[in-house]
Amino acid sequence: MIETNTQPLLTSQDSCLKELQSLNRPYKYVLTCLLVQKTGAGLVSCSSTYWDSSGGKDGSVKVGWENGTMHCIVSVFGVGVNIESGQELD
C-alpha cells in the first residue's frame, strides 16, 4: 500500500467550504473530492439527488481535472435552508 500525505487535499477542501460559507447565502454545502491515480483503467463518477422541485433553490456542480498521473473530481451540493418562498436568489 502506498502511503500518501492527505493534508494538502483536506486543506483545499476546507478552503473551498470556507469560501462558499463566506458568501453568506442560505445554503448548507456538501463537498466531495475523488482523487485517483491514472492506471489506464476507466473512471466513472455519478451522483443522484432528490431535490425539493417546488422551490428550485437546491443544486449541484461537478468539476473534473486531470494531468498525466491523476484524475480529480470535485462535487459541490448546495441545499437551501431557511429560504422564504418570496426571496430571490441569484
Side-chain angles (χ1 to χ4, degrees), residues 6-19:
T6 59
Q7 190 59 41
L9 179 61
L10 294 174
T11 301
S12 296
Q13 287 179 305
D14 285 344
S15 294
C16 183
L17 283 172
K18 286 178 183 174
E19 186 147 343

Side-chain angles (χ1 to χ4, degrees), residues 28-57:
K28 175 75 174 183
Y29 297 103
V30 178
L31 184 138
T32 65
C33 181
L34 174 65
L35 185 64
V36 293
Q37 180 180 357
K38 275 190 175 179
T39 61
L43 173 65
V44 176
S45 172
C46 65
S47 62
S48 178
T49 56
Y50 182 72
W51 302 126
D52 178 7
S53 59
S54 64
K57 307 297 184 196

Side-chain angles (χ1 to χ4, degrees), residues 3-4 13 21 47 49 63 66 79:
E3 292 198 24
T4 59
Q13 287 179 305
Q21 290 170 341
S47 62
T49 56
V63 177
E66 64 181 274
V79 181

Side-chain angles (χ1 to χ4, degrees), residues 73-90:
I73 300 173
V74 176
S75 300
V76 179
F77 302 89
V79 181
V81 292
N82 298 327
I83 299 175
E84 297 177 19
S85 60
Q87 183 179 355
E88 269 305 309
L89 295 177
D90 297 326

